[in-house]
């Protein structure tokens, strides 16, 4: 087997995510690269939760339709995913065919919490799949830490209650760490030098706040959870003015409340990094599912005209590196900078080859001559950035149209000069981004048919592109639009197919503004990611 997929399902509150992570860790120890999709409704208890863990010898970033092994904790899991080749289930609560294990009875006999049934079932899974006991025990120790002993005892009960059904081959490759996009973003922001992270919890960005809170212990990093998103952006801009490098995290509904602050950042030239994790809307929508429906919102949020940087990483590796770059670029150009994410990138663990030592440019400084002028009108529009106190000077920021000293003006010539300064700074940002790889090309780089995508569709588009011998062109930076790089990537392309997870074709609309017209568009609005099989079928339907 070059690859296999395992699904584990049950109700909210039964530890399905943790169980999925344990299976993913086992697959990694077997020498496979891993991608895990976790599906859960917006419920604390009940409903149907499941995780699909796909393991493959080569790079992976999406799931397939077909499931090889099903681990079921309730009857609903069997009903929904019963096409799996091998069923492993709790014999005490489920009727079905396959390998039944008395998991509930075992839990009762061991005096363990009901949530630990998943560990018993995973023990049985390892026996059924021919996974060596040593790998099971190593995975449990890595996943549970100080709570490993009890879970090992329960897993071994399940292991000995099962029987071998298949043999998953063990690969020689070393295990690769699992990382979610949100964890990678948190690590990247820290690598970029942030001093503070401010956020109100909002799925699917919440785990960045949790990760930051853990990582901040014993360090100078400030992590704050204010009362709402208006307070978040206001506090962040205050911290930035005072000399702190600061990032915030939110989703669509919370970002709505931040948009006035985005305009303040633009006018006052107070830098901030904003992680905007998309989910289906409008309004509350589906809080625990994914979407790419806020691209246009982020590109145009805030009133007036001012430069911004919008980055859409597609893998944990990119999330790490571009989050670090986002901090540097936000402070270099004194602008609001966006990291555009979603649930499919942010919450789903994958094997990630993070390079902790990748190079970042040294922070650039513009010397201030004589009396400090906060908004000194420089040739590239970027003024010297100083934080108070500055001896002998006042550091004044202003949301009004202002002169070089930050004093409110309404004179026509001064107003025009202030506006042109911001636009000139945008041009300098655009020129700077020419030195970055803002476009990623996968698949066959000379194929006449190209898939055009952005963000979390990276993995599924790459895999389908390789299977169908297509070129895959993915925009990592969306604003300023990397026109020259995009045009070069399209050289020789005869047919363009846009792939995006929204209804109105927001990426399609963006490239149209630069004169490019796609031949077809494939969209998804279910809140679930494209599977490899589904996207392959749909692409075959439009390239025949």
């Amino acid at each position: 087997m070059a690859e296999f997929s395992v699904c584990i399902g049950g109700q909210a509150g039964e530890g399905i995510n943790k169980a999925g992570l344990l299976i993913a860790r086992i697959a990694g120890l077997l020498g496979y690269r891993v991608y895990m999709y976790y599906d859960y409704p917006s419920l604390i208890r009940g409903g149907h939760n499941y995780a699909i863990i796909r393991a493959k010898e080569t790079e992976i970033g999406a799931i397939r339709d077909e499931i090889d092994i099903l681990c079921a904790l309730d009857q609903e899991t069997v009903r929904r995913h019963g096409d799996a080749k091998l069923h492993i289930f709790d014999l005490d609560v489920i009727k079905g065919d396959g390998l039944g294990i008395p998991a509930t009875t075992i839990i009762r006999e061991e005096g363990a919490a009901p949530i630990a049934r998943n560990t018993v079932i995973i023990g049985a899974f390892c026996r059924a799949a021919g996974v060596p006991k040593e790998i099971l025990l190593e995975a449990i120790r890595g996943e549970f830490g100080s709570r490993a002993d009890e879970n090992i005892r329960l897993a071994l009960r399940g292991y000995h209650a099962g029987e071998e059904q298949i043999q998953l081959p063990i690969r020689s490759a070393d295990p690769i760490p699992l990382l979610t996009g949100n964890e990678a973003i948190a690590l990247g922001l820290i690598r970029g030098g942030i001093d503070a992270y401010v956020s109100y919890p909002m799925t699917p960005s919440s785990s960045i706040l949790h990760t930051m809170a853990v990582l901040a212990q014993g360090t100078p990093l400030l992590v704050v959870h204010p009362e709402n998103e208006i307070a978040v952006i206001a506090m962040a801009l205050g911290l930035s003015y005072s000399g702190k490098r600061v990032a915030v995290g939110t989703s669509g509904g919370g970002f709505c409340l931040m948009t006035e602050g985005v305009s303040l950042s633009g006018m006052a030239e107070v830098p901030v990094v904003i992680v905007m994790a998309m989910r289906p809307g409008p309004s509350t929508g589906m809080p625990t599912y994914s979407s790419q429906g806020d691209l246009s919102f982020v590109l145009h949020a805030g009133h007036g005209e001012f430069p911004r940087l919008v980055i859409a990483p597609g893998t944990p590796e990119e999330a790490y590196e571009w989050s670090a770059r986002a901090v540097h670029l936000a402070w270099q150009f004194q602008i609001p900078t966006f990291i555009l994410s979603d649930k499919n990138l942010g919450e789903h663990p994958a094997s990630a080859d993070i390079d902790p030592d990748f190079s970042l440019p040294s922070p650039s400084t513009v010397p201030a001559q004589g009396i400090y002028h906060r908004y000194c009108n420089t040739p590239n529009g970027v003024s010297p950035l100083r934080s108070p106190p500055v001896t002998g000077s006042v550091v004044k920021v202003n949301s009004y149209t202002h002169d070089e000293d930050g004093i409110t003006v309404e004179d026509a010539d001064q107003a025009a000069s202030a506006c042109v300064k911001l636009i000139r700074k945008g041009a300098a940002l655009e020129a700077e981004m020419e030195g970055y790889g803002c476009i990623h090309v996968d698949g066959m780089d000379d194929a006449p048919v190209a898939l055009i995508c952005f963000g979390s569709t990276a993995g599924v588009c790459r895999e389908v592109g390789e299977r169908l011998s297509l070129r895959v062109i993915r925009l990592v930076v969306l604003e300023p639009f990397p026109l020259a790089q995009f045009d070069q990537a399209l050289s020789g392309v005869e047919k363009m197919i846009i792939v995006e997870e929204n209804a109105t074709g927001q990426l399609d609309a963006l490239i149209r503004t630069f004169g490019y017209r796609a031949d077809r568009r494939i969209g998804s609005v279910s809140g679930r990611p494209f599977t490899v099989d589904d996207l392959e079928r749909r692409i075959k339907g439009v390239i025949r």
Side-chain angles (χ1 to χ4, degrees), residues 388-465:
V390 174
T391 302
S393 300
V394 175
V395 181
K396 183 175 176 59
V397 299
N398 197 341
S399 66
Y400 283 75
T401 301
H402 46 260
D403 64 13
E404 289 189 312
D405 291 310
I407 305 300
T408 299
V409 296
E410 293 181 348
D411 173 79
D413 290 339
Q414 287 181 304
S417 177
C419 178
V420 170
K421 175 185 185 298
L422 291 179
I423 302 307
R424 197 162 61 245
K425 183 166 70 168
L429 171 65
E430 185 173 355
E432 174 76 11
M433 297 311 296
E434 291 175 2
Y436 290 83
C438 300
I439 301 283
H440 192 92
V441 180
D442 280 311
M444 289 187 60
D445 58 11
D446 59 349
V449 178
L451 305 182
I452 315 295
C453 61
F454 76 100
S456 65
T457 55
V460 68
C461 285
R462 176 192 54 76
E463 186 166 349
V464 172

Side-chain angles (χ1 to χ4, degrees), residues 155-356:
L156 290 176
R157 287 289 306 269
Y159 190 90
H160 293 303
E163 57 186 40
E164 188 167 323
Q165 305 283 318
I166 60 174
Q167 179 69 56
L168 295 178
I170 300 176
R171 307 297 174 186
S172 59
D174 293 330
I176 298 173
L178 288 173
L179 207 62
T180 66
N182 280 350
E183 291 168 337
I185 288 170
L187 293 170
L189 291 173
I190 293 171
R191 174 69 176 82
I194 65 161
D195 302 296
Y197 184 79
V198 187
S199 181
Y200 183 86
M202 191 170 189
T203 306
S205 70
S206 301
S207 61
I208 303 175
L209 177 62
H210 303 158
T211 301
M212 285 290 192
V214 172
L215 296 176
Q217 296 181 31
T219 77
L221 177 63
L222 179 66
V223 179
V224 187
H225 169 186
E227 64 271 24
N228 58 46
E229 286 87 356
I230 296 174
V232 166
I233 193 66
M235 183 179 289
L237 294 177
L239 285 164
S240 180
Y241 166 74
S242 71
K244 303 295 186 183
R245 293 193 171 201
V246 58
V248 307
T250 190
S251 188
F255 183 60
C256 287
L257 299 173
M258 293 185 181
T259 53
E260 188 173 10
V262 173
S263 295
L264 174 57
S265 170
M267 173 59 89
E269 302 186 56
V270 177
V272 64
V273 176
I274 301 171
V275 182
M276 226 299 280
M278 298 177 287
R279 73 189 204 190
S283 191
T284 308
M286 293 193 294
T288 59
Y289 290 92
S290 197
S291 170
Q292 291 184 321
D294 291 335
L295 171 59
S296 296
F297 182 24
V298 169
L299 289 172
H300 302 289
H303 55 285
E305 298 171 305
F306 55 91
R308 71 190 71 198
L309 176 62
V310 180
I311 300 162
T315 66
E317 292 90 342
E318 286 182 351
Y320 173 74
E321 294 189 6
W322 277 100
S323 295
R325 292 187 184 115
V327 178
H328 167 75
L329 291 164
W331 265 260
Q332 180 180 349
F333 290 94
Q334 302 165 39
I335 53 172
T337 293
F338 296 87
I339 301 168
L340 195 58
S341 180
D342 56 29
K343 179 200 171 187
N344 292 336
L345 173 65
E347 293 192 346
H348 298 156
S351 301
D353 296 306
I354 295 295
D355 177 11

Side-chain angles (χ1 to χ4, degrees), residues 385-536:
L385 179 60
R386 299 290 181 270
S387 301
V390 174
T391 302
S393 300
V394 175
V395 181
K396 183 175 176 59
V397 299
N398 197 341
S399 66
Y400 283 75
T401 301
H402 46 260
D403 64 13
E404 289 189 312
D405 291 310
I407 305 300
T408 299
V409 296
E410 293 181 348
D411 173 79
D413 290 339
Q414 287 181 304
S417 177
C419 178
V420 170
K421 175 185 185 298
L422 291 179
I423 302 307
R424 197 162 61 245
K425 183 166 70 168
L429 171 65
E430 185 173 355
E432 174 76 11
M433 297 311 296
E434 291 175 2
Y436 290 83
C438 300
I439 301 283
H440 192 92
V441 180
D442 280 311
M444 289 187 60
D445 58 11
D446 59 349
V449 178
L451 305 182
I452 315 295
C453 61
F454 76 100
S456 65
T457 55
V460 68
C461 285
R462 176 192 54 76
E463 186 166 349
V464 172
E466 290 173 352
R467 291 167 67 91
L468 299 180
S469 298
L470 307 176
R471 194 182 317 190
V472 179
I473 300 172
R474 178 166 51 85
L475 288 112
V476 180
V477 175
L478 295 151
E479 174 64 29
F481 190 84
L483 188 58
Q485 293 182 42
F486 187 62
D487 193 66
Q488 182 179 2
L490 283 172
S491 177
V493 169
E494 299 170 5
K495 187 172 188 177
M496 286 194 294
I497 302 169
I498 302 281
V499 178
E500 52 186 317
E501 293 177 355
N502 57 57
T504 55
Q506 296 178 27
L507 178 61
D508 189 18
L510 175 62
I511 69 169
R512 282 172 181 258
T513 64
F514 295 95
Y516 299 97
R517 184 174 293 272
D519 298 277
R520 299 296 294 268
R521 186 176 66 82
I522 296 174
S524 173
V525 292
S526 67
R528 281 73 175 173
F530 289 106
T531 67
V532 172
D533 307 279
D534 175 45
L535 185 59
E536 183 174 352

